[in-house]
Amino acid sequence: MTDLSPEHARSPGFDDSTLRDQNRRDARRVALLAAGVMLLTLLPYLISASQAGDRAYMWLGYNLDDSCVYLSWMRQAASGHTHVFNLFTTDPQRGMAINPLFLALGTLARLTGLPLLAVYHGARLVFSFALLLLVWKFLRQTIADRRARWLGLFFVCFSSGLGWLPFWWEAAPLATPIDKWQPEAITFLSLYLSPLFCFSLALQVGILSLLLQSERQATLAGRLKYAIAAGGCGFLLGLSHTYDILSLGAVWGLYLIVNTFRPLPVPSDAFRGSTSSRWHSWLGAGVCGLLTLPAVLYIYGQL
């Protein structure tokens, strides 16, 4: 495959083997960057632990209420339960189906004997690493210029909003920018805080990547293969972090509308020789949506 970026178009000696070597070097650098970001997310925990003295350190950042709920789900799963209860209320409950991510993590804690917090943060690091690798794959699929890809990756890793500006916003959190009160809006905070956020973000990026691959396939079987894989990820996302389906659907829906009336060019070497059609996009979205819908309906029925 030949890179379509302008700098390569001007280099007659830039052949397929050179591109493969460059892609391998980039993959190694992305892995090193991802590992470095993971170490950076550990620093606040390690510094806090070193300052704990004779006090008990919880190994949690902010957003403590959500973290405690997730850990309680893991504890209930580790005890063999498939339905969980909110342990922080006295209201009557019938028990909801446990989140599949925390069912798996709780089961892993039971089988290995590891502390819940060790499994919790271990999963956070694993899913964070996978997320950044998927982001790089998605950037290769959508951006031709190599320097722009790297800029995009750094932007995803470290960018934030304007919520950090002091004395600028009202005191009420919901009246301020979303980065002041919702960690899922900031990738780095998601990497720092929770395996659920990293897991759901990785699924979302994976779904978009698979849908792009589906629409670029030359055969119906190829398009269906990737669309079904995207639907499987969508089903898991619907069970794990359901409201992300809304934002993901809005993003891909807007893409479908724009691509229908003004087909977008293939900007990356990742799809050289592809035979995209605007209707291929709708086919992939339909298959993915049909496979995702049962999970959404199931969660709705649990409410």
Side-chain angles (χ1 to χ4, degrees):
M1 294 186 295
T2 301
D3 200 316
L4 302 181
S5 54
E7 64 269 29
H8 296 153
R10 292 192 297 267
S11 305
F14 198 92
D15 57 16
D16 284 357
S17 63
T18 305
L19 178 60
R20 285 193 294 270
D21 290 341
Q22 178 181 279
N23 287 338
R24 282 193 290 267
R25 288 195 301 271
D26 282 347
R28 288 193 293 267
R29 290 166 183 165
V30 170
L32 287 174
L33 174 63
V37 173
M38 294 305 95
L39 290 175
L40 193 59
T41 66
L42 284 174
L43 283 180
Y45 296 102
L46 297 176
I47 292 172
S48 299
S50 69
Q51 301 296 315
D54 58 354
R55 294 166 294 178
Y57 178 52
M58 295 180 64
W59 290 94
L60 297 173
Y62 69 94
N63 206 31
L64 297 180
D65 48 352
D66 282 0
S67 298
C68 288
V69 170
Y70 302 151
L71 288 167
S72 76
W73 290 350
M74 289 174 62
R75 170 55 62 199
Q76 292 175 71
S79 300
H81 298 286
T82 56
H83 282 65
V84 295
F85 293 86
N86 185 344
L87 303 182
F88 303 95
T89 181
T90 57
D91 290 342
Q93 303 175 62
R94 58 187 177 90
M96 293 179 59
I98 194 170
N99 184 298
L101 171 64
F102 296 111
L103 175 62
L105 295 183
T107 302
L108 179 62
R110 181 177 77 246
L111 295 176
T112 61
L114 291 170
L116 292 181
L117 279 168
V119 175
Y120 185 85
H121 283 293
R124 177 181 65 81
L125 295 174
V126 169
F127 292 134
S128 296
F129 191 85
L131 168 62
L132 296 183
L133 295 185
L134 285 169
V135 167
W136 177 253
K137 176 179 175 62
F138 184 70
L139 290 170
R140 284 199 62 239
Q141 292 174 315
T142 54
I143 299 176
D145 186 85
R146 181 166 169 261
R147 289 166 295 185
R149 292 174 190 168
W150 278 103
L151 182 62
L153 182 61
F154 277 94
F155 187 85
V156 168
C157 287
F158 301 114
S159 64
S160 183
L162 299 177
W164 58 271
L165 291 172
F167 314 116
W168 192 274
W169 315 107
E170 300 178 23
L174 294 182
T176 61
I178 193 170
D179 51 288
K180 286 275 287 182
W181 56 271
Q182 189 166 19
E184 301 100 305
I186 305 299
T187 307
F188 186 82
L189 289 181
S190 298
L191 303 177
Y192 163 62
L193 281 175
S194 170
L196 176 60
F197 300 161
C198 307
F199 181 67
S200 61
L201 282 171
L203 285 175
Q204 291 175 74
V205 177
I207 290 168
L208 293 176
S209 177
L210 288 166
L211 287 175
L212 283 176
Q213 288 182 281
S214 172
E215 72 174 23
R216 305 295 181 183
Q217 298 302 303
T219 65
L220 177 61
R223 291 191 288 273
L224 287 176
K225 179 179 73 172
Y226 286 106
I228 289 170
C233 292
F235 183 83
L236 190 55
L237 179 64
L239 293 177
S240 304
H241 213 212
T242 313
Y243 64 75
D244 283 338
I245 297 295
L246 299 176
S247 55
L248 185 66
V251 168
W252 193 251
L254 181 60
Y255 169 78
L256 291 176
I257 293 171
V258 172
N259 196 48
T260 297
F261 294 100
R262 186 176 181 181
L264 302 174
V266 180
S268 171
D269 63 292
F271 292 126
R272 183 193 177 197
S274 64
T275 57
S276 176
S277 162
R278 68 191 73 181
W279 305 116
H280 296 175
S281 304
W282 288 97
L283 173 65
V287 172
C288 180
L290 286 175
L291 293 175
T292 301
L293 184 61
V296 177
L297 295 177
Y298 178 73
I299 294 298
Y300 179 78
Q302 294 284 311
L303 299 179

